Amino acid sequence: MGLFDIFKGKSKTTTTSNPDDPEFSRLVAADAGKGRVDLMMLDPESGSRARFPDLDFLLRDTHWFQAVRKTLQNSGAPDDNIPVVEHLTNDVVQVFGLDAGDLYTILSPADLRRYGMGLQITRAGALARLRQAVPDLLIEGGSGRFRVSYPENPDLSASFMLVHGDWLDPNELNGDPVFAVGRRISLHACGSRDRESLEGMREIAQVMYAESVNDPYGNGKPLTKELLTMKDDKLVPFR
């Protein structure tokens, strides 16, 4: 079975509840044969290995996170049980969802320690899982403007901005990639120098956002009415 490095960090990046527990610092893609690739976590110090869990890289609007945090704090939950979050823009945060079959959980710091994972390896693995899912994207459009969705789990559609290099050909765009994600379940893309498409995308983002705020269950949950782009591998507003 061949191993291909995806992430390699320093050992002991987190403090586990038990000093004898593994702390995984290396993430590899393991060739499992017949076209299958498994993501494996390794702890070089102990020799432990484990399959990377079925984590989703989720984008959420800031209001969603504030409401979740307030609910948990009001219930007396400790900070360790508040979801791990990174603020990507003023409107958008990232969290990690775990599909455990009969239960879907947004991961907290306590969850990461239980799995022996630091934030860096968690993020790298969740992005790798997005890349694995790229062949299942539904990509429509042309002439420099595209609409993207992920039918298997529509709530993940907006997240594919973060791995656009795996599905979006820059030669088909007039400029750098710009994205509209008024709601989580749809993703629109065009080039930064395509003025006509940009105006259309601004309207799409604002209309979809407003529709989702008014009816999040019928239209999908809102994300942001701003256009976004990537700069130095970070998601930023497009001005």
Side-chain angles (χ1 to χ4, degrees):
M1 181 173 66
L3 299 179
F4 309 92
D5 272 313
I6 293 176
F7 171 81
K8 192 172 184 179
K10 296 180 180 179
S11 298
K12 304 300 179 187
T13 57
T14 63
T15 303
T16 58
S17 55
N18 184 336
D20 294 327
D21 288 343
E23 292 187 22
F24 300 106
S25 60
R26 185 182 174 199
L27 181 69
V28 300
D31 182 0
K34 296 183 179 179
R36 289 179 52 247
V37 175
D38 291 334
L39 298 178
M40 300 293 297
M41 301 184 295
L42 309 178
D43 175 20
E45 292 191 14
S46 68
S48 298
R49 64 170 54 199
R51 180 179 173 273
F52 188 81
D54 293 332
L55 293 189
D56 292 327
F57 198 119
L58 303 173
L59 298 184
R60 296 289 184 260
D61 67 287
T62 304
H63 298 298
W64 172 89
F65 173 67
Q66 291 171 341
V68 168
R69 180 175 58 187
K70 184 176 181 180
T71 298
L72 290 171
Q73 289 174 336
N74 289 344
S75 71
D79 289 345
D80 252 9
N81 290 344
I82 305 296
V84 173
V85 63
E86 181 179 347
H87 292 266
L88 302 182
T89 72
N90 288 337
D91 296 336
V92 181
V93 301
Q94 72 171 49
V95 293
F96 302 102
L98 174 63
D99 186 355
D102 58 345
L103 182 66
Y104 196 86
T105 305
I106 304 298
L107 293 192
S108 68
D111 295 320
L112 293 191
R113 283 200 302 276
R114 184 163 62 251
Y115 282 98
M117 303 189 319
L119 183 56
Q120 286 184 311
I121 197 171
T122 301
R123 193 176 197 278
L127 285 172
R129 279 177 45 82
L130 276 181
R131 292 188 172 97
Q132 287 181 326
V134 162
D136 296 320
L137 289 178
L138 176 61
I139 303 174
E140 302 171 287
S143 301
R145 186 168 173 177
F146 302 92
R147 180 172 63 248
V148 182
S149 60
Y150 182 49
E152 185 172 325
N153 183 356
D155 212 38
L156 270 176
S157 298
S159 300
F160 285 92
M161 285 186 294
L162 303 171
V163 293
H164 66 84
D166 289 73
W167 58 266
L168 184 58
D169 184 352
N171 295 319
E172 296 188 22
L173 300 179
N174 183 8
D176 297 325
V178 178
F179 306 100
V181 282
R183 57 181 65 137
R184 301 176 192 170
I185 63 174
S186 62
L187 168 62
H188 294 252
C190 76
S192 59
R193 294 193 294 271
D194 186 344
R195 292 187 178 182
E196 183 178 352
S197 293
L198 285 171
E199 287 305 309
M201 291 225 308
R202 284 192 177 93
E203 183 177 356
I204 286 172
Q206 292 169 3
V207 169
M208 285 188 169
Y209 182 83
E211 290 176 345
S212 293
V213 168
N214 290 332
D215 184 7
Y217 295 100
N219 295 315
K221 303 294 178 63
L223 194 55
T224 179
K225 54 188 175 183
E226 285 193 312
L227 297 185
L228 303 175
T229 189
M230 299 287 289
K231 185 176 182 180
D232 298 327
D233 293 327
K234 296 183 182 297
L235 197 62
V236 297
F238 174 74
R239 306 299 187 192

